[in-house]
Amino acid sequence: MEERTVKTSGVLIIALVLAAALMIVACGKTPEKQETPAAGQTAAPAPAGDQQQATPSQPTGNTEQAAPQTAAPEGNEQLVPIDIKLPKPMFVGTPTNIAVPNLEKPLGKQRPPFLAPAGTKNVAAGKPVTSSDELPTIGELTMVTDGDKDASEGSYVELGPKLQYVTIDLKAQHTISAVVMWHFHKQAVVYHDVIVQVADDPDFVTNVRTIFNNDIDNTAGRGVGKDMSYIETSEGKLIDAKGVQGRYVRLYSRGNTANELNHYIEVEVFGKPVK
């Protein structure tokens, strides 16, 4: 009996040892290896409950895209329309029978605004005027810069026939954006060989630049021009001077389609003093 009890105890001990060994093996099991995202991929974030992903806002109704904003380049000046006060029109209608080569077609509507740096103004107002004709037939040379642009009697100066010019002394160097000139605009006429030059000296020897020239055959001897002839109107002729610098402005003409004489009502020079 005693021997049988000993054998039973030995079996129980062996069973307990095996059970303990199995538990140790189970606790030391290696976890499954997680898949590593491939290079360049991002593992998707785990959703939190039933949280919905944000939806990108959609345009409603108006599908026009906003204009891109562009920063103004450093040093650029603000451009604003220059102030040109026009006289009362003296001629209304469509001019006919004007046979002039290279003639500009009338615009048929108001001239668009001309933009220039802020602070640009008429720097020719009241400035002295000289001319190739020192004894005008009608009027005074001061009329060229007196601000009166009317085409009636007493508002214009008449110079002799052939090539004549007027010169305006701005009294200092200026950066010139535009020149606007009014010949006689009571009738639909075309002035011949209109040339506008800017220079640093009154004799037009130093730094002479031509900003307009419609003398297509070099009759005036200032070179062949490529600008078009034009019909006089109350708007005057605006010339883009492109920021040229100078003190003196000279304007040539050689008669017109009505007679051999030359007329000036007003000349405005829009610019700013050179700093």
Side-chain angles (χ1 to χ4, degrees), residues 48-257:
D50 59 352
Q51 180 179 359
Q52 296 181 347
Q53 293 185 355
T55 302
S57 59
Q58 300 291 330
T60 57
N62 184 10
T63 58
E64 183 178 357
Q65 295 183 350
Q69 294 182 344
T70 305
E74 186 177 355
N76 274 11
E77 297 180 280
Q78 180 186 6
L79 299 179
V80 297
I82 60 175
D83 183 19
I84 304 175
K85 293 180 171 57
L86 300 180
K88 178 182 178 182
M90 302 291 285
F91 171 82
V92 179
T94 303
T96 58
N97 301 324
I98 298 180
V100 174
N102 197 33
L103 181 62
E104 184 178 75
K105 185 178 179 180
L107 188 60
K109 57 183 179 181
Q110 189 174 9
R111 181 175 56 213
F114 183 85
L115 302 181
T120 297
K121 63 180 183 179
N122 176 24
V123 294
K127 296 295 171 58
V129 181
T130 56
S131 173
S132 54
D133 186 353
E134 298 179 351
L135 297 173
T137 309
I138 299 174
E140 303 291 338
L141 292 175
T142 55
M143 293 177 171
V144 177
T145 56
D146 65 354
D148 180 6
K149 304 166 191 171
D150 196 87
S152 58
E153 298 292 333
S155 296
Y156 64 89
V157 59
E158 182 179 270
L159 308 180
K162 300 182 180 179
L163 186 70
Q164 301 288 353
Y165 66 78
V166 294
T167 302
I168 302 170
D169 181 3
L170 302 178
K171 306 300 288 184
Q173 288 285 109
H174 284 78
T175 300
I176 301 171
S177 296
V179 174
V180 189
M181 55 185 173
W182 288 262
H183 292 103
F184 190 69
H185 56 82
K186 194 174 182 178
Q187 299 174 334
V189 296
V190 176
Y191 284 81
H192 302 300
D193 302 338
V194 176
I195 302 169
V196 181
Q197 293 181 323
V198 176
D200 294 345
D201 67 299
D203 297 323
F204 279 69
V205 175
T206 305
N207 204 16
V208 181
R209 280 127 315 147
T210 300
I211 61 174
F212 186 89
N213 184 355
N214 64 15
D215 180 10
I216 60 173
D217 52 8
N218 197 25
T219 304
R222 267 70 185 174
V224 175
K226 296 182 179 179
D227 293 302
M228 301 185 74
S229 295
Y230 60 94
I231 300 171
E232 294 293 329
T233 70
S234 59
E235 279 199 325
K237 179 64 177 177
L238 188 150
I239 300 169
D240 184 355
K242 304 184 184 303
V244 67
Q245 292 187 348
R247 170 173 170 171
Y248 298 89
V249 179
R250 177 170 289 178
L251 304 96
Y252 293 88
S253 63
R254 186 181 57 81
N256 61 80
T257 50

Side-chain angles (χ1 to χ4, degrees), residues 254-267:
R254 186 181 57 81
N256 61 80
T257 50
N259 54 56
E260 297 181 342
L261 301 174
N262 299 276
H263 308 90
Y264 288 90
I265 290 180
E266 189 73 14
V267 176

